[in-house]
Each structure stands twice: as C-alpha cells, then as structure tokens.
Amino acid sequence: MLKSQVLALRLLWRNWRSGEVRILAGSLVLAVAVVSCISVFTDRLESALTAQSHTFLGADRVVRSSQPIPSDWQVLADKYDLRTATKTQFASMVFAGNEMHLAAVKAVSDAYPLVGELTVSQQPFVTDKSLITVAEGGPPAGEAWVDSRLLPLLQIQLGDQIVVGEKPLTATRVIVDEPDRGSSFSAYGARLLMNEADLAATNVIQPGSRIGYGWLVAGDENNLESMLAELAPKLTSHEKVVDVESAQRGLARTLDTARKFLMLSAMISVLLAGVAIAIAARRFANRHVDQVALMKSLGAGCSSIRQLYGIQLLVLGVLASVIGLGLGVLLQEVIASGVSSILPVALAAPRWTSMLPGILTGLVCLVFFVAPPMWHLPTVPPLKILRRELAVNSVSFYWQALLGLLAMVVLVAVFSGDWWLSSSIILAMLALLLLVAVFASILLGLGQRLGRRAGSVWRLALASLQRNSRQSVVQMMVFALALMLLLSLTSLRTTLLQDWKLQLPPETPNHFLLNITPSESPQVAELMEQQNLNVQQLFPMVRARLTHINGEEPSEDIRKQAEMLRREVNLSWSDRLNSDNNVVAGEWWDHWREPGIAGVSVEAGAASDLALELGDDITFDIGGLTLEARVASIRTLKWDSMNPNFYFLLSPGALDEFSPTYLTSVYLPPEKKPFINQLLGRFPTVVVIEMDRVIAQIQAIVAQVSSGVELMLGLVLLGGFFVMWAAVGSSMEDRMQEAALLRALGSSRHRLLGSLWIEFALLGLFSGVMAAAGSEILLLSIQYWVLDIPLSFHWGIWLWGILGSALLVGTLGVLSCRKVISTPPGLMLRELS
Amino acid sequence: MLEAQTLSKQVTTAAGTLTILNEVSLCVKAGDSLAITGSSGSGKSTLLGILAGLDEPSSGQVKLHQHEITALNEERRAKVRADHVGFVFQSFQLLPGLTALENVMMPLELHGVANARGKAEFFLTRVGLNGRLHHYPKQLSGGEQQRVAIARAFASEPDILFADEPTGNLDSETGAHVIDLLFELNREQGTTLVLVTHEQRLAEHCRQRIRLEGGKVIERKPCEAA
C-alpha cells in the first residue's frame, strides 16, 4: 500500500476516534441499511407473496374452460418444460346407503396441486396439528377425500363407501385444506376430491352438464409466458387464463398499497439520511479547515490533500455501505424470521439484485451529499494558519443544495421507478423549505419583539435565536422537513392499517348460504337468530340469460368481450344500496320514475363490456319466460368485500313472478362452525360456500405486511433522530461558547439551562407548526394521488407534532449542551478555543 | 538561506488601497536568527507569511534556500515548505483529535518519513514530554502544548524555522522556558530561525532584529545592509 493511502487510513481512524466522522458514518450506514433492508425484504416478500398468491390457484397459471382440455396442450407444456395438472369440477349428488347430499366434486390428476399444500387427516374436524399431514398428491384411484362435514351428513365414517354417479369410492381421508379452495365460487357444497382416472366410470359427465375444467401450469416464469403466448391463438371463447392478479383482486390491492408505502418509507429515509449526511459532512468540513491549513503550511500540496481526503471518504463510504448492507440484510432477516410463522410459504432467499439499491444509495450519498461540502478543503489557503479571519472559498450552499436535490430525485426515482412521483415529492419539499424560510424569519422577528417584554430567561433565549438567526432559520428548515416526513409517514401508516382492516374487518361474512327457497327463508333467518348470528340481507336470486339489448341480439364484438353472455347470470332485486355499492350514473330506485317497465342497475364493468348506457332496454330469458328491464343506474362495487353482490340488481318486485331462491352471507366464528351441519341437517338443499379459510389467509398476510410497515417506520424514525441530532450539533460549538461565556460572567446554572431549553424548544415549536401544516398537505396529496384511499383530516399531527417537536428538540438541545453546565467555565472556554 | 528584496503588500478594502508592507528587504544566513518586532498591525505576521511562502507579496522577491519562492505557484511553494520549513504558532495549532505523539508524527507521515513514530517520540522526550505522549491537547497546559508544537517543528528537521509569537499565549515563566528550549534546539540542529514577537526579551535572543512600523522597517540591528 502506498504511504499516502496508509496515512489516509490513519487519519480516518484518528478522525473516527475523535468522534468527528461518527454522525457522518452513522447516517451513511443508516441510509444504506434502511434502503437495503426495505429493498431486500420487499423483494423477498413480493416473491413469497406471489408464490403464496399462486397457492390460491394451486398453480402459477390456470386455464379455465367449460370444455375438456385439448390433449395437444400437454405437448406445448412439455416443450417449455412446465409442470401440469388437470382438474374437473362439478356439483353432484353423492350417496351413501340411504343418505345423499349435494357435493362439490373435484377430480384431479396425480400431479395436483402444483403449488401450495393439500393437507389431510385421518380424523374428521381435526384441530390438533400433529394429526394433519401434507398429501403428496391427490387421492389415488378408487378413493375419495372429503370435507369433514360430509361424513355426518351422509352418516358414514372414513373407510365407508361414497357413490359418485355410478362409481363407488372409499372415503379414506378428510380434507383439512386445499390450496385453490377459494378460487371458484361455481362449485358449491361440501368438497369431495377424487382421482380423475375414476371420472369416466361415474358417468356423471353428460352433454349439457355444467362442468368446470381447469388446466394447472407451473414452472419458470419466462417459459410460462412464452408457452401462454404460443397457446393464446388456440384459446376459444370457452377458455380463460387466470393469473394471481385476477384471482385475488383485493389482496393484490393491499400488496400494491403496502409496496407503495414501503417505497415511500425508503424514499423518506433516504431523504432524511441525505439531510443528516449533508449536515454532518458540512460540519466535518468546517472542522477540518484548520487541519488542512496546518497540513498545507507543513508542505502538503493541494493534490495530496485531495488524495488524503478522497481516500478517507472512499474508505468511509465503502465501509459504511458494507456495514449498512450487512445490517440491512440482517435486519430484514430478523423481520423475516419474525413473520415466517404466519407466512404460508417460505420466503425466498435474498437476491443480489435486491441489494443494488442499498449500494447505490451509499455511492450516491457519498458523491452528492458528502463530497460537495468538502470539495473546497484542498483549496484552503495555508495562510489561514496565521490569519484566521481569511475567507475560504467553499462550494456555495445553493450548489450543494441543488446537487443534493438532484441526488434525491435520482435515488427516489430509482426506488419508485416513477420520475413524476419523485420529482413532485421533491418539488413539494422545496416549496415547503422556502415557505419555512420565510415563516421562520417572520417568527424570529416576532419572537424578538415579544422577548423585549419577557423575563430574563426568555429574553436571553430569544436574543440568542435572533443573534444566530441565519443558523436558526436553517435549523428550523431541517427540523420542519424531518418532522414533516416523520409525521406524514406515521399518520399514513395509521390510515393504511385502518383502511386494510376496513377492507376485511374482523367479522367479515365468511360463509355464503345459497339456494334457500322462499318458504325456507323465514326459518333459516330464525335459526340463525337463535344462534345470535348476524344475518346479512337475504337477496332473492334468479338465474337468467341475457338475450337482447334494445331488442337486438348482442353483436359479435360484444359477445367476444362479455363473457357473461355465454352463461347464466344471477339476477336479484333490492330496495336499498349495499354500503360497498356506489351509483356512478343514473338514479337509485328512490328517485327513479319509469312506470310500466322494470328498472335494472348494472355493475360498471358489466355495463362497459355490454356497451350499455342509461335508458337501454335489456331482455333476460328466465327459464323460458322473458323479462324486460331498462337501465336505471350504473354501479361500482367491491367484489372483495365478501358481501353478496350482483351484476344486475332489479327494481323492487320485478322478480316476484319468477320464483326466486335466496342468498345471504353470514359471519360464523370458528366455534360455531358445527352450526353448518345443523343447518344442512334441517335444510338439505341449502348450499353453503365456506370462505373462512381464504379470509383468514388474507387477514394473516395483511397482519404480516402491517408489522413490516411498523418496523420500517421505526427505522425511519431513527433516521429522523439522526437528522435532528446532526442539526442540533451543527450549531453546538457557537452556542456552547456563548453559554460558557455567560457562565464565566456569573449566569446561574438554572438560568442558563432554562434559557437553552426555551431556545431549542422554541425552535422545535416553530418547526412543529410548519411541519404539521406541510405534513397535512402532503398526506392529503398522497392519499389522493398515490394511494387512492379516502381523504381524511389528521388532528393528531397538529397536537402531537407541535408538542412532541418542542419537547424533543428542547431536550436534544439541552442534552447536547449539558457539558457546558457541568464543566467549570474556565476549562470549558479553553477547550472551546 | 533567506533573502527578501523590496517586499510590498497592498490589499484593496472598501476604504481604498491599504499598504501593509512597504519595500521591506532583509537577509538571513544559514544558522542565523532574525526577530521581527513591532506593534500590533505593523505587518509582522504578513511579512512572516510571505517569507515562509504562505502568502504572496504584491511586489518584491523572496529567495528561500536557493528557491525564488515568489516566482513559484502554491503547489511548488508547498514542496519547498515541505523540504525546508518548519513552523511554531502563537495558538499552537495542535489538532484536538490527535494525541501529542500523533500531532508530532503528522508532518513526518505527510512527508513519508520512515520511522515517524520513533522520531516523534525522540523529539517529545527531548522537549520533556515523554510522560505525555498519549495525552490530547486539551489535557495539556499551554506551555506543554507549545512544547509539543516545538517538537513537531523540529522533528521534520527543517532548514529554517518560522515562529509566530511563540510565547504570545504563555505566562512569562512558561514563556521563558519555551524560549530557552527553542534556542537550544536551534543551536543543536543549526536551524535558521525567523520569529515574530513583540517581546523584547525574546527578540534579544536573536542575532538580527528588525522593527516594523506601518509596514516599513524603522530599525535594524545590527545595522548591516540587507
């Protein structure tokens, strides 16, 4: 190693030991750690959740069809080295002795499921995990695996026979969980899983039977995409490729919002760390002016100084980045191990690519935040050693700020992949900083006037603020910026968590009851009331086929895009609008007046597919009878709310003559699960769809993402603390000098402490007011433009933001100056000089 | 060793042009000593800065150890300082984050001197601070700090040593000790010494003395021509 490099390393070590580079190094480490942690964790989480979401499908992709899967598709899958399985689903009565029940039959090939776990047990209604095993595939030929509740319904036990169509099968296992249970609403009733080799012998599948076929595919994502691209021209209108996104819309939205939040956290932590780094670097540079002047007087040239400091910074940057990266990866491992118990799939191993943003952060911070304040050091004139008053030509503050901003835009854009978002956030902050500068000057002026009339401690504090007004304004800008970002993030996290909880609140209906006849409906309602179950509205339901729009058959174009024209749809009527429905065009029934014709409210997506407009007439065929209805309104609705929802809602009474059946949803807590058997025992034709496992899975994921969000917030808060510390520290020498002088002149300890506390608390208070205002504006903008969640006002940030800021900054200030109180003034003055 | 001819220094201020040095000439032979005295604002420190190559004159020439430093750029003047010059300052100019030993080692390390540590220890022992090697400046008294600065200056074995008010921040007794030490080392090493002082006692230790007033030499002892 060259001598200059050894010397640079020695100087770095000495600077470290004397504490001069600690805030700088700490901020660099924090920036890299936070970004690495977020980047690696979200990458792993995203891969895991994508994999987890795939378990909702039982595969990476599923092609659903109403026709048998063509055998030549397998050739295509083999070509791309993909794994496949098939499933055939239908509802059928199953028999055991004299008992029978409508079951949701699923016949699967041996490879099923491709993704996720099929768990089974030898005991019905099992809760003991030790009795649950993971099946290595579907049931072998000749066997049937069934939902526990099918056993009492058919009055059989495991080992007994169940007849599906004409094929007797032996019930050998009960199903505890199947990965793709939630993916289809079409197969109602208790599940019966059988091998597809037995399917032909059942003789159930006849022309006209309502059968759902599924082709499950899994494998390398690129190969999958290539295969699907090649398959696409072969797909008919009967077939549809289902991916995670379309299978789980609600979850996708939650994950997307969480990703955006984490990204915002990363951005904010980089911004905070950037500010802390810039302040620390500036302080470091100021403290090193004398050292450089001395070194130059001793004969060090400009280039050797540049080399000495360049090497120090480079080594510091690389070390901080490596430590930050290690810390970030370790930290995300801690989070990962904490949440792995709730995750249904194992987290993927960290990928090198996900560490790049962390390393990039270290480099960018070094080049844009650390280098500019130090750029002038080699040009410090050696004469400064003799003439301290000599000015040093440093890179102007504005250039430094501009470079810093540029770096922030680059970093934020890299994380978000969104230049528009990053530029607008940076511009908003710039505007805030300008406003803060103006208001801070006004507040300081006001403070001085008030101070003239105040007591001596206050006068001392206000005079000090005014005397250091330039520094005070800069400090207020930094405090306000840091606080604004922290308040926004804390508040946003609360809003988000509430929004997620609202999405699937604890008592979300988790069971759907279908096929309730009009005569049964009062009794079903009564039975549920006896059980203290909160019954949702009973919706009448009629199956119908849409045949004409405005008296004409739908065009070929419409047929292509509107899948519902190829099947029956459920019609219902309701006099009140569900809370998750929202009329976006036309009028709801209380304002709709069109005598002589039924009205229909159409779901917005369906209206768009069918090219329907308000006032259009549509004709439905209901079991050979015709129903005409006029489009009265268009609604948006949340399909993921777990409430019964319909594409077509008719005006009250419109369906009276079509003998509807009824549908409702109910929340059943786990301990009331056996109620289903009681209900089905009394009303055997009622169909129950169990969504509880799917909901529990989604809630677990939301809870886990929430805890990730909380942890990130903790890290960002730490970043904010660094900024505050750095900013308080930046003025400490001047303030300590003043305080030491005042002590020497006889000022009491009490008075000095009081004045220091007031001085910093006022700085904090003013900053808090501006931060709260900025934060409110930023939050409303983010809610509206970025996260697309309802707007809400945030009282908390005004109260806690202002009070907390005054307390925090006041305390930090006093703690930083405590030495001046505890050290004899003479000694203090000598040390400071 | 050191020769200055008609050195002048003017600076432009808001009030107009200010002459700080006015045609100062002097000559110091190798191993000789020169004291520059004068009241505050007489231009002593400015003259020292120019003689040592830390500053440039508005006109005139300085020749230091065969180098006409007034014709060199800062980078090359730095090289001359590195090879030939040592400093002792009024405010000691020790780096607060470094121990006494590290402060003395710093210029040696900067010049790539082998066994910087051993040399620094030797000179610190020579100035009587062998028990204080690992103390930080704030743990040392003013006199001790100046002794560290002297050790630092002599450790790099300069041909010429410039001292700016070396006893200015010390009480008279400590100052006297520091003066003795300075001249003792000066004799031992045969160093040329140029010092700025307003203390008559210190100036009298030097063979040559000039007194400045308003940037001009108003007295020169002994009265030989420059």
Side-chain angles (χ1 to χ4, degrees):
Chain A
M1 206 184 285
L2 292 171
K3 280 180 178 169
S4 60
Q5 288 162 331
V6 176
L7 179 59
L9 290 181
R10 274 192 200 150
L11 287 177
L12 180 63
W13 164 242
R14 288 168 191 167
N15 285 328
W16 169 263
R17 206 187 46 200
S18 65
E20 286 180 4
V21 288
R22 284 188 203 163
I23 292 186
L24 186 61
S27 309
L28 261 175
V29 168
L30 187 81
V32 178
V34 170
V35 171
S36 311
C37 176
I38 291 177
S39 151
V40 175
F41 182 67
T42 48
D43 185 63
R44 291 182 71 187
L45 189 68
E46 268 181 25
S47 328
L49 289 175
T50 310
Q52 148 73 10
S53 320
H54 286 171
T55 68
F56 281 95
L57 291 175
D60 292 341
R61 301 284 194 289
V62 171
V63 182
R64 284 193 192 141
S65 175
S66 56
Q67 305 287 323
I69 304 298
S71 55
D72 58 330
W73 289 10
Q74 187 57 45
V75 179
L76 206 55
D78 292 341
K79 177 180 161 191
Y80 286 100
D81 198 20
L82 297 168
R83 293 179 296 126
T84 63
T86 49
K87 62 177 180 180
T88 310
Q89 286 176 281
F90 53 90
S92 175
M93 294 306 274
V94 294
F95 305 87
N98 293 329
E99 301 297 328
M100 59 178 176
H101 191 78
L102 184 69
V105 181
K106 181 153 83 176
V108 295
S109 62
D110 292 333
Y112 170 89
L114 298 178
V115 176
E117 291 175 345
L118 172 64
T119 49
V120 292
S121 176
Q122 299 274 18
Q123 280 188 21
F125 300 106
V126 66
T127 48
D128 183 353
K129 282 189 178 167
S130 65
L131 298 173
I132 299 172
T133 52
V134 177
E136 284 181 6
E143 289 185 18
W145 294 354
V146 296
D147 266 354
S148 294
R149 65 189 173 86
L150 198 59
L151 301 177
L153 285 170
L154 293 175
Q155 297 186 2
I156 56 168
Q157 291 179 335
L158 287 181
D160 292 346
Q161 286 212 323
I162 298 180
V163 181
V164 182
E166 296 172 9
K167 174 72 180 173
L169 300 167
T170 311
T172 53
R173 301 264 199 288
V174 293
I175 302 167
V176 178
D177 207 355
E178 58 188 308
D180 53 344
R181 177 177 284 266
S183 63
S184 171
F185 285 85
S186 57
Y188 306 144
R191 166 73 74 223
L192 183 147
L193 200 62
M194 57 183 281
N195 195 296
E196 70 174 8
D198 294 326
L199 197 56
T202 62
N203 245 341
V204 169
I205 300 179
Q206 301 292 333
S209 303
R210 206 182 141 116
I211 313 286
Y213 295 92
W215 190 50
L216 289 74
V217 198
D220 178 73
E221 188 61 32
N222 291 334
N223 288 1
L224 251 176
E225 289 294 338
S226 308
M227 190 277 286
L228 287 172
E230 203 172 326
L231 182 67
K234 297 183 181 174
L235 295 180
T236 65
S237 58
H238 301 286
E239 285 127 11
K240 186 182 172 193
V241 179
V242 184
D243 59 11
V244 182
E245 200 71 359
S246 52
Q248 290 296 324
R249 271 178 292 189
L251 191 61
R253 195 172 83 87
T254 304
L255 291 183
D256 188 48
T257 318
R259 200 185 56 77
K260 279 183 179 161
F261 179 88
L262 290 175
M263 187 198 78
L264 271 175
S265 311
M267 277 161 50
I268 288 175
S269 54
V270 168
L271 293 181
L272 288 174
V275 175
I277 291 167
I279 295 174
R282 214 174 149 74
R283 196 174 171 207
F284 179 86
N286 286 342
R287 290 172 73 122
H288 277 248
V289 166
D290 286 348
Q291 180 165 341
V292 171
L294 177 70
M295 283 167 34
K296 289 186 86 172
S297 75
L298 296 173
C302 195
S303 54
S304 60
I305 297 283
R306 202 173 285 284
Q307 198 182 10
L308 278 179
Y309 278 88
I311 294 171
Q312 284 189 68
L313 289 190
L314 195 69
V315 172
L316 183 72
V318 170
L319 275 180
S321 297
V322 169
I323 295 171
L325 188 67
L327 211 62
V329 172
L330 197 73
L331 214 57
Q332 66 79 33
E333 197 56 54
V334 173
I335 309 172
S337 63
V339 297
S340 64
S341 56
I342 2 168
L343 263 185
V345 288
L347 281 172
R351 292 189 296 180
W352 284 108
T353 47
S354 65
M355 295 177 193
L356 287 178
I359 298 169
L360 181 76
T361 304
L363 285 176
V364 170
C365 284
L366 204 62
V367 173
F368 289 90
F369 293 123
V370 182
M374 301 206 182
W375 196 251
H376 66 283
L377 276 183
T379 65
V380 169
L383 188 62
K384 192 159 172 68
I385 204 81
L386 291 178
R387 302 169 64 97
R388 300 187 62 81
E389 73 283 1
L390 215 61
V392 177
N393 289 326
S394 59
V395 176
S396 95
F397 177 76
Y398 299 102
W399 271 109
Q400 287 183 30
L402 198 70
L403 279 171
L405 276 174
L406 196 71
M408 286 178 181
V409 173
V410 170
L411 283 177
V412 169
V414 166
F415 295 131
S416 60
D418 188 340
W419 285 92
W420 185 87
L421 176 71
S422 53
S423 319
S424 42
I425 286 188
I426 305 280
L427 278 178
M429 285 194 320
L430 208 61
L432 176 98
L433 286 179
L434 280 178
L435 278 177
V436 169
V438 173
F439 278 109
S441 309
I442 296 172
L443 282 173
L444 283 178
L446 272 176
Q448 193 192 26
R449 259 182 244 166
L450 286 173
R452 282 188 203 129
R453 285 177 231 148
S456 64
V457 178
W458 280 83
R459 202 167 51 238
L460 205 61
L462 288 165
S464 171
L465 277 180
Q466 186 62 32
R467 201 168 41 252
N468 303 309
S469 62
R470 208 184 137 151
Q471 203 167 37
S472 303
V473 169
V474 172
Q475 276 181 324
M476 268 196 256
M477 286 163 78
V478 174
F479 289 145
L481 179 70
L483 277 171
M484 179 191 81
L485 295 175
L486 294 181
L487 286 174
S488 305
L489 205 63
T490 314
S491 193
L492 202 58
R493 151 229 169 235
T494 315
T495 315
L496 265 189
L497 297 191
Q498 275 168 0
D499 182 56
W500 286 340
K501 276 184 192 148
L502 282 180
Q503 216 174 314
L504 280 178
E507 300 208 347
T508 302
N510 55 3
H511 289 79
F512 285 83
L513 309 184
L514 282 79
N515 208 27
I516 306 167
T517 63
S519 60
E520 286 170 340
S521 66
Q523 297 165 47
V524 169
E526 192 188 324
L527 185 66
M528 289 203 282
E529 263 169 41
Q530 283 169 8
Q531 296 286 328
N532 291 327
L533 295 174
N534 181 21
V535 188
Q536 305 291 310
Q537 186 185 359
L538 278 163
F539 286 89
M541 199 169 83
V542 167
R543 293 186 73 79
R545 195 174 280 275
L546 196 158
T547 56
H548 295 82
I549 297 170
N550 291 327
E552 291 177 8
E553 286 191 0
S555 68
E556 199 52 41
D557 285 349
I558 291 179
R559 279 190 179 282
K560 268 187 191 161
Q561 63 184 11
E563 179 258 346
M564 69 183 67
L565 287 175
R566 299 193 288 273
R567 60 176 171 87
E568 286 188 326
V569 290
N570 294 318
L571 306 185
S572 184
W573 70 259
S574 177
D575 52 358
R576 62 189 167 93
L577 198 58
N578 264 5
S579 59
D580 56 348
N581 282 227
N582 190 22
V583 171
V584 290
E587 302 286 354
W588 189 241
W589 309 131
D590 32 5
H591 292 100
W592 192 73
R593 302 276 176 271
E594 286 263 358
I597 186 162
V600 60
S601 174
V602 187
E603 189 267 336
S608 157
D609 285 353
L610 294 164
L612 287 176
E613 288 177 6
L614 291 176
D616 280 353
D617 289 336
I618 40 182
T619 311
F620 293 102
D621 175 359
I622 306 173
L625 299 172
T626 303
L627 170 70
E628 285 254 353
R630 181 159 297 163
V631 178
S633 62
I634 311 276
R635 283 168 300 131
T636 56
L637 57 86
K638 284 186 184 166
W639 289 109
D640 48 25
S641 68
M642 301 290 165
N643 285 318
N645 268 309
F646 298 89
Y647 285 118
F648 301 99
L649 270 180
L650 285 113
S651 49
L655 295 174
D656 285 355
E657 57 190 278
F658 294 99
S659 56
T661 59
Y662 286 82
L663 155 76
T664 190
S665 61
V666 63
Y667 169 71
L668 272 185
E671 67 276 11
K672 290 204 171 161
K673 193 85 184 169
F675 168 71
I676 298 173
N677 280 2
Q678 191 188 343
L679 179 87
L680 291 174
R682 270 188 67 183
F683 308 103
T685 54
V686 169
V687 172
V688 178
I689 302 180
E690 294 158 276
M691 296 297 290
D692 47 347
R693 287 176 196 150
V694 176
I695 290 176
Q697 230 171 4
I698 294 175
Q699 280 170 336
I701 291 173
V702 167
Q704 166 214 321
V705 172
S706 304
S707 54
V709 162
E710 299 272 13
L711 200 122
M712 285 307 137
L713 184 73
L715 283 179
V716 178
L717 284 175
L718 188 66
F721 183 76
F722 262 94
V723 171
M724 304 280 231
W725 185 22
V728 166
S730 67
S731 68
M732 212 32 77
E733 273 155 31
D734 293 344
R735 281 182 160 90
M736 278 175 69
Q737 186 105 39
E738 284 172 20
L741 260 178
L742 284 170
R743 276 271 281 159
L745 293 174
S747 185
S748 76
R749 196 169 169 266
H750 184 71
R751 192 176 132 133
L752 210 57
L753 262 183
S755 141
L756 274 173
W757 204 89
I758 290 170
E759 186 181 340
F760 279 100
L762 276 179
L763 270 182
L765 184 87
F766 292 159
S767 313
V769 172
M770 290 178 283
S775 174
E776 186 70 73
I777 296 169
L778 188 70
L779 276 174
L780 293 176
S781 318
I782 290 178
Q783 283 180 358
Y784 187 77
W785 279 300
V786 184
L787 299 176
D788 191 22
I789 53 179
L791 295 185
S792 54
F793 195 71
H794 311 81
W795 297 106
I797 58 174
W798 290 89
L799 181 68
W800 297 117
I802 296 171
L803 275 181
S805 164
L807 274 173
L808 179 69
V809 178
T811 312
L812 270 178
V814 169
L815 280 179
S816 305
C817 288
R818 70 190 184 287
K819 194 176 171 192
V820 89
I821 309 292
S822 56
T823 313
L827 189 64
M828 198 69 230
L829 279 171
R830 212 179 75 199
E831 272 187 27
L832 290 169
S833 68
Chain B
M1 169 61 67
L2 178 69
E3 192 179 341
Q5 282 184 349
T6 58
L7 285 181
S8 292
K9 177 84 177 175
Q10 279 105 26
V11 289
T12 313
T13 65
T17 305
L18 190 71
T19 300
I20 302 174
L21 285 181
N22 195 355
E23 302 203 333
V24 176
S25 298
L26 55 88
C27 178
V28 188
K29 289 183 184 145
D32 208 349
S33 57
L34 165 73
I36 304 167
T37 60
S39 54
S40 287
S42 59
K44 315 186 284 288
S45 293
T46 306
L47 178 60
L48 183 89
I50 294 171
L51 291 176
L54 298 176
D55 198 6
E56 291 170 46
S58 305
S59 63
Q61 287 181 340
V62 176
K63 218 172 189 182
L64 198 158
H65 206 268
Q66 312 304 324
H67 302 276
E68 192 185 327
I69 57 170
T70 37
L72 302 177
N73 62 17
E74 166 51 29
E75 205 63 14
R76 295 182 64 187
R77 284 204 303 271
K79 177 83 177 76
V80 175
R81 287 199 299 271
D83 292 343
H84 306 289
V85 177
F87 285 102
V88 173
F89 304 100
Q90 177 179 8
S91 51
F92 323 136
Q93 295 293 354
L94 299 179
L95 298 178
L98 307 191
T99 61
L101 181 66
E102 288 164 350
N103 265 292
V104 180
M105 280 166 69
M106 214 246 313
L108 301 174
E109 291 174 328
L110 215 53
H111 304 147
V113 174
N115 191 24
R117 191 185 176 92
K119 217 163 183 182
E121 280 175 355
F122 170 80
F123 276 93
L124 277 168
T125 308
R126 178 66 191 82
V127 298
L129 289 176
N130 47 333
R132 302 283 206 152
L133 299 185
H134 302 292
H135 285 62
Y136 288 92
K138 67 179 179 187
Q139 297 168 317
L140 302 172
S141 69
E144 287 170 328
Q145 288 189 50
Q146 194 60 304
R147 279 195 273 161
V148 175
I150 290 171
R152 179 178 66 189
F154 282 101
S156 48
E157 296 172 6
D159 295 312
I160 183 163
L161 183 75
F162 290 94
D164 180 32
E165 303 272 15
T167 56
N169 273 359
L170 304 173
D171 60 67
S172 54
E173 195 181 337
T174 316
H177 283 132
V178 166
I179 292 167
D180 291 344
L181 184 64
L182 195 63
F183 281 91
E184 214 175 297
L185 282 165
N186 188 39
R187 271 194 303 279
E188 275 175 23
Q189 298 204 358
T191 315
T192 309
L193 181 65
V194 176
L195 58 85
V196 160
T197 184
H198 58 265
E199 273 192 66
Q200 204 49 42
R201 192 168 47 117
L202 175 56
E204 280 166 4
H205 277 76
C206 296
R207 210 185 64 75
Q208 276 193 68
R209 297 186 288 280
I210 57 171
R211 201 150 90 87
L212 292 182
E213 200 60 68
K216 275 186 138 176
V217 179
I218 56 161
E219 192 183 339
R220 197 182 289 270
K221 285 181 184 174
C223 304
E224 54 192 65

